[in-house]
Amino acid sequence: MKAHDGMYIDGAWRPAAGGELIDVVNPADGQVIASVPAGTEGDVDAAVRAARAALPGWAATPPAERAALVGALRDVLVARQDELADTITAELGAPLAFAKAVHVGGAAAVTSSFVELAASYSFEERIGNSTVLLEPVGVVAAITPWNYPLYQIVAKVAPALAAGCTLVLKPAEDTPLTAQLFAEAVHEAGVPAGVFNLVTGTGPVAGQALAAHEGVDLVSFTGSTAVGRKIGATAGAAVKRVALELGGKSANVVLPGADLAKAVATGVGHVMANTGQRCNALTRMLVHRDQYEEAVSLAAAAVEKYPSGDPREEGTRLGPVVNAQQHERVLGYIARGIEEGARLVAGGPEAPHAQGYFVAPTVFADVTPEMAIAQEEIFGPVLSILPYEDEEEALRIANGTVYGLGGAVWAADEETAVAFARRMVTGQVDINGGRYNVLAPFGGHKQSGVGRELGSHGLAEYLQTKSLQF
Ligand code: NAP
Ligand code: MG
């Protein structure tokens, strides 16, 4: 894979300040495929200065012109979809068809949604004798994870550009090649120099320097709750805006009377997609005692539809997890589930392939709410099925973690499902298999985060108000 040996700053690829490199590894076989520069404080400082210098011009660019440039960016992403999908498969391990349809297709859809929003959003509001101006918040530090390397970047960059903000992106160290391709796309789209800047590097060095930089007005972070807590504290101390998209442990609640087969098949698919590396994955399935064993057998059968293997081969539906550390972590949780007395009904700790960071699609039954596999985010292809006696117990279990990001309810009718969903402490709930909506606000309650992404709520994160009285 080809990689840039510099940083994209002020409209050009510039030599990195330091000499250190980060190796990029293909998780399907453990081989190094490229290396990129590890950014230092010097690179971050140059990038923030470029973003600051470009801010007045970009903020003053009419929204329709900004929208047109976001549209041009979308067109480049679509034109280069094969190259993007290839790169995502190589550095993340996502099956190629999934990389193209979901990783790149999803990113293009999000970009498109902000083309329309930027053109139609009202950046001015009249309240009594005041005119309220919705102005760009300023320079944005975007810090993104590896699980959806392109989508997570786009979910921050597209609304920030639409709002009139300038940015510095620090992508995950595991997936920097996708970020470099994205920077090429921004350049090709004709976004003015300095509006978007890329610094590759590690979290503790480049990420930390960026989050703490005094030239940054908003830190928008997606990743683990542990790092999010630190970033929130740093931003708080500097009185900077912050948006945090963190972990999850979402509940899939199957109420009596629901279409059990459909609920289980959809639920299993939701957990296995992207090898379970999704913050909103429905990793806890809650089923009534009377239907419990039937649901367990259905789930054990359903995972057979997710053969793992080489992500480049057609027919592979489950790629490896992203790296050796995540591999160890996920296998550690599987071992812990067994130790704590859960019943393994599919998959388990054995490696399905001789090489690469593969984990067998795994299902645990007889999981109790206090077990680690029912409380902690695993970020792998592991489903826990918990029994409940009545709706009140189901609600207690569903709400009984520190997280509140996603969720699902299945019931005989929508009214019953919605009544239950209203009592769930979480940011999103899919009703009877409701589909993803690119315009719906996405974000967490409790320790799943602060702020919202996507749609008009996502755009509002990048705006601040100024009131003029007449
Ligand atoms: P992470 O460490 O929180 O990484 C997210 C981003 O923050 C990366 O770009 C990372 O850089 C950077 N970062 C790390 N430490 C930092 C610091 N002190 N200051 C500023 N930035 C910093 O998450 P991860 O290592 O990728 O994954 C670990 C766990 O996070 C997963 O198992 C999962 O539970 C959770 N996760 C959640 C989401 C989500 O969408 N909510 C996505 C991915 C992961 P590096 O790449 O160099 O670490
Ligand atoms: Mg990390």
Side-chain angles (χ1 to χ4, degrees):
M1 287 259 146
K2 79 176 170 40
H4 290 275
D5 58 6
M7 307 295 180
Y8 183 73
I9 295 174
D10 205 14
W13 293 91
R14 301 183 189 273
E20 280 190 46
L21 295 174
I22 294 171
D23 284 339
V24 186
V25 172
N26 177 348
D29 59 15
Q31 298 299 306
V32 174
I33 52 174
S35 55
V36 299
T40 60
E41 228 179 298
D43 298 301
V44 167
D45 189 55
V48 173
R49 281 170 194 278
R52 271 252 74 89
L55 181 64
W58 185 245
T61 302
E65 241 174 84
R66 298 198 301 250
L69 277 165
V70 178
L73 171 60
R74 183 259 331 270
D75 294 345
V76 179
L77 294 178
V78 171
R80 296 180 70 173
Q81 58 181 312
D82 289 333
E83 194 185 350
L84 283 161
D86 248 12
T87 303
I88 292 168
T89 295
E91 63 183 356
L92 175 68
L96 200 52
F98 186 82
K100 198 164 165 179
V102 178
H103 282 268
V104 184
V110 168
T111 312
S112 272
S113 72
F114 285 107
V115 178
E116 281 153 44
L117 272 167
S120 63
Y121 198 82
S122 176
F123 291 94
E124 227 176 276
E125 184 185 5
R126 187 83 195 173
I127 302 178
N129 64 315
S130 302
T131 295
V132 180
L133 307 178
L134 298 165
E135 298 182 332
V137 74
V139 172
V140 175
I143 301 177
T144 54
W146 43 262
N147 67 331
Y148 281 94
L150 182 63
Y151 175 95
Q152 303 279 22
I153 288 172
V154 157
K156 300 188 189 307
V157 176
L161 293 180
C165 293
T166 59
L167 307 97
V168 178
L169 168 67
K170 202 303 278 178
E173 67 186 277
D174 289 296
T175 53
L177 301 178
T178 304
Q180 289 192 340
L181 279 182
F182 178 80
E184 285 184 15
V186 169
H187 190 82
E188 209 178 314
V191 173
V195 170
F196 168 86
N197 307 275
L198 169 69
V199 175
T200 52
T202 67
V205 179
Q208 174 64 35
L210 180 58
H213 199 291
E214 59 179 24
V216 165
D217 300 299
L218 161 70
V219 186
S220 179
F221 169 83
T222 300
S224 62
T225 297
V227 174
R229 207 186 293 281
K230 245 191 253 178
I231 287 180
T234 304
V239 200
K240 253 179 223 169
R241 287 261 294 265
V242 67
L244 307 170
E245 292 290 342
L246 309 177
K249 191 72 191 177
S250 300
N252 184 11
V253 183
V254 187
L255 294 175
D259 182 340
L260 187 69
K262 196 172 167 200
V264 172
T266 308
V268 167
H270 204 279
V271 174
M272 298 307 154
N274 213 39
T275 319
Q277 301 169 123
R278 291 169 78 180
C279 44
N280 63 338
L282 300 168
T283 51
R284 297 180 297 148
M285 188 183 290
L286 278 55
V287 183
H288 191 275
R289 280 252 175 251
D290 292 347
Q291 293 180 302
Y292 189 73
E293 285 309 324
E294 194 188 345
V296 169
S297 320
L298 285 167
V303 294
E304 284 171 22
K305 295 206 182 99
Y306 295 87
S308 76
D310 183 345
R312 299 206 164 270
E313 248 165 53
E314 224 173 289
T316 294
R317 293 191 69 193
L318 203 69
V321 295
V322 69
N323 61 31
Q325 195 189 333
Q326 285 297 110
H327 190 233
E328 220 167 278
R329 205 179 114 101
V330 175
L331 293 180
Y333 274 113
I334 293 175
R336 194 125 169 238
I338 295 168
E339 267 164 44
E340 292 188 335
R343 169 165 52 114
L344 188 64
V345 295
E350 275 88 57
H353 304 287
Q355 55 169 15
Y357 308 128
F358 289 92
V359 178
T362 297
V363 178
F364 279 110
D366 300 342
V367 177
T368 57
E370 68 286 350
M371 287 181 187
I373 56 170
Q375 286 294 326
E376 294 172 30
E377 185 172 52
I378 299 174
F379 237 61
V382 183
L383 171 67
S384 295
I385 312 183
L386 295 89
Y388 67 82
E389 295 288 347
D390 56 31
E391 242 182 64
E392 292 311 307
E393 190 185 16
L395 187 72
R396 263 198 317 278
I397 297 171
N399 287 340
T401 76
V402 297
Y403 296 114
L405 189 58
V409 185
W410 296 80
D413 54 82
E414 274 183 13
E415 209 186 337
T416 309
V418 170
F420 191 93
R422 283 184 186 279
R423 300 167 74 198
M424 290 171 80
V425 186
T426 193
Q428 283 207 339
V429 185
D430 300 339
I431 304 295
N432 282 341
R435 285 168 308 116
Y436 166 78
N437 174 2
V438 73
L439 294 175
F442 183 92
H445 291 211
K446 299 192 276 183
Q447 289 181 31
S448 288
V450 175
R452 293 293 177 268
E453 289 197 311
L454 305 182
S456 58
H457 293 263
L459 182 57
E461 294 281 332
Y462 295 91
L463 297 168
Q464 63 185 340
T465 59
K466 179 186 287 169
S467 305
L468 310 180
Q469 281 63 244
F470 294 88

